[in-house]
Structures are given as structure tokens and as C-alpha cells.
Amino acid sequence: MWPPATARALILKCFRSVPSPYRKSDVKQNLLGHRTPRSCAAMESSHSEPKLILIFSGKRKSGKDYITDVILDRLGEDVCGVVRLSAPLKQAYAQEHGLDAEQLAGSGAYKEIYRADMISWGEAQRRQDPGFFCRLATGGTRQPVWVVSDARRMSDLDWFWARFPHQTRCIRVESREDTRRRRGWLFTSGVDDAESECGLDTGVDFHWTIMNEDDAPSLDEQLRPIIALAKEAARR
């Protein structure tokens, strides 16, 4: 594993080629912890303040991405911005290890080969700065409604609660193990028993729980109050 300083330098190198709403010099200085005229808080406030943040969590193959895509389709891209907390991690990990970033960001078997090591690599960065990937993932979001598709740790929720206490709502997506198996899930030691899968199993008072099962109420019915809240927030 790369030392934290080296890993952070690689992440910054990866993001130099990504369009950013703030100056690259600000990103580099803030992420490396150097003193700058602009604090991290000031950098974060440089993007539009969200009216509503919907944070989704759930087990692998529970259907989080599908459900957040449904919400995006209902609200439209002008209103809704999907935030994937794992996106900057996967981009940097792929660059460091010479991997295919596009496949690593997908849901196929390619990602599963590297998942355990990628989790360990990301944890090393979070130990140095728990909000590191949250800042990178949300930096370019301009829409009034943010949909965070992949919260996995209490530190993820803490970051949003601390900065956006009035806008943040938490949603849990649930599916039975037999359903997840039919979707391709297979228990993997070091992945399914790690914090990235179990960190939000307890201790969170979710605003909504979505049952993604054939015998549950339809997703349209379950998502109706969430969509209504999002539309109302966007009008404010």
C-alpha cells in the first residue's frame, strides 16, 4: 500500500484532468492540508447550497443504484444531482494500480476482483481525513437536490449532518439475501463483513426504508413521499 502522502498526490494527479468548479490550486492545497487563504469550509461553500440531500445506503445488490437512477429520472438532471462517494476513490485507485477506471466504476465482475483491496486502500485515506472523498464527490454538484447513492460509513453521514443538518435525509434500501443472490451477490469475506458493508446496519434512525422486493409495495408508491419532498425543496 502507498504511504498516505503518496496516495493523496496520486488522487490529486487524477483529478487535475477532471473539470472542477473551483481552482486546482485550492484543491491541491486544501487536500494536502497546507495553509491557504481559503479554508476547507470556504471551499465547500463555493458550490451552491443544496435544498435537500437524500442519502441512500444498503447492502450490495440491494438496488441502491437502480433506485437512485429512478429518482434522477423522475426529477430530471436540472433538479437532481447524483453523488457517488466511491467515484473519486475508484478513479484514483484505478490510476495508481493501472486498472480500467470505467470497469471499476461498473457493477460487473471486474470490480469484485479488486473490491477488498480497494476498500483497504480507501480506509487508509479516510483515517487521515474522514471527509476526504465526500469533499471530492460533492465538489461539482450544482443542483438543488443531491442524491447520495452509496453512503457506507457513519463518517459519511457525520460529514453531511455537520455541514447540512437541515437538508439531510437518510434512506435505507433493503432486500432479502435470496433476492440479492438472484441478482449476483455472493458473500465475500473481507467485503461483506467489513465496515463498508456493515457500518450503517445499526445506529441510524432512517427517515425512510425502501423494500426492494417483488412482494413489497411498488417502488413508485414507496418513493412517492420522497419525490414529493424533493420537488417541494427544489421550488423553494
Side-chain angles (χ1 to χ4, degrees):
M1 181 181 297
W2 291 94
T6 303
R8 285 170 179 245
L10 285 165
I11 292 174
L12 292 170
K13 180 179 179 182
C14 174
F15 274 84
R16 286 191 185 105
S17 62
V18 178
S20 173
Y22 36 71
R23 290 177 289 134
K24 294 175 184 176
S25 59
D26 289 339
V27 178
K28 182 176 181 181
Q29 289 171 328
N30 278 290
L31 293 181
L32 291 179
H34 297 170
R35 284 188 167 186
T36 69
R38 299 179 71 194
S39 67
C40 285
M43 181 179 70
E44 287 156 10
S45 65
S46 66
H47 53 59
S48 301
E49 184 88 353
K51 302 292 184 62
L52 177 68
I53 303 174
L54 301 171
I55 302 182
F56 285 79
S57 71
K59 299 291 192 180
R60 290 198 295 142
K61 299 297 182 181
S62 62
K64 300 185 299 296
D65 287 337
Y66 175 76
I67 289 173
T68 53
D69 284 346
V70 168
I71 292 175
L72 174 61
D73 183 65
R74 298 286 195 279
L75 297 177
E77 294 182 355
D78 290 339
V79 170
C80 175
V82 176
V83 175
R84 304 191 191 282
L85 299 182
S86 60
L89 184 155
K90 291 173 181 176
Q91 290 176 14
Y93 180 84
Q95 179 163 331
E96 178 180 332
H97 293 82
L99 302 175
D100 186 319
E102 186 174 344
Q103 289 198 61
L104 203 61
S107 58
Y110 185 88
K111 178 175 66 177
E112 301 306 322
I113 297 172
Y114 303 101
R115 184 188 286 270
D117 186 63
M118 185 166 57
I119 289 171
S120 298
W121 186 88
E123 294 300 341
Q125 315 315 313
R126 290 186 181 88
R127 282 193 291 272
Q128 297 293 316
D129 180 357
F132 184 65
F133 293 112
C134 290
R135 286 197 298 275
L136 287 177
T138 60
T141 309
R142 290 287 186 272
Q143 294 91 332
V145 176
W146 296 4
V147 175
V148 180
S149 66
D150 57 350
R152 296 179 179 278
R153 300 161 182 81
M154 194 63 72
S155 61
D156 295 337
L157 301 187
D158 287 340
W159 189 87
F160 285 97
W161 283 333
R163 286 155 183 79
F164 309 106
H166 303 297
Q167 300 100 311
T168 299
R169 303 290 187 275
C170 299
I171 302 101
R172 183 70 169 182
V173 179
E174 296 280 3
S175 287
R176 294 188 292 265
E177 284 194 2
D178 60 326
T179 301
R180 293 165 58 211
R181 288 191 188 95
R182 289 197 299 272
R183 296 171 184 162
W185 173 73
L186 182 65
F187 179 86
T188 303
S189 180
V191 173
D192 291 291
D193 51 3
E195 183 187 10
S196 60
E197 285 297 310
C198 305
L200 299 179
D201 285 358
T202 59
V204 181
D205 187 13
F206 291 101
H207 294 85
W208 292 279
T209 297
I210 304 297
M211 294 302 301
N212 190 15
E213 294 283 352
D214 291 339
D215 57 359
S218 71
L219 285 180
D220 281 344
E221 181 180 343
Q222 295 186 73
L223 292 176
R224 190 172 296 128
I226 300 174
I227 299 294
L229 179 65
K231 289 181 177 179
E232 179 185 354
R235 288 193 294 266
R236 290 201 294 265

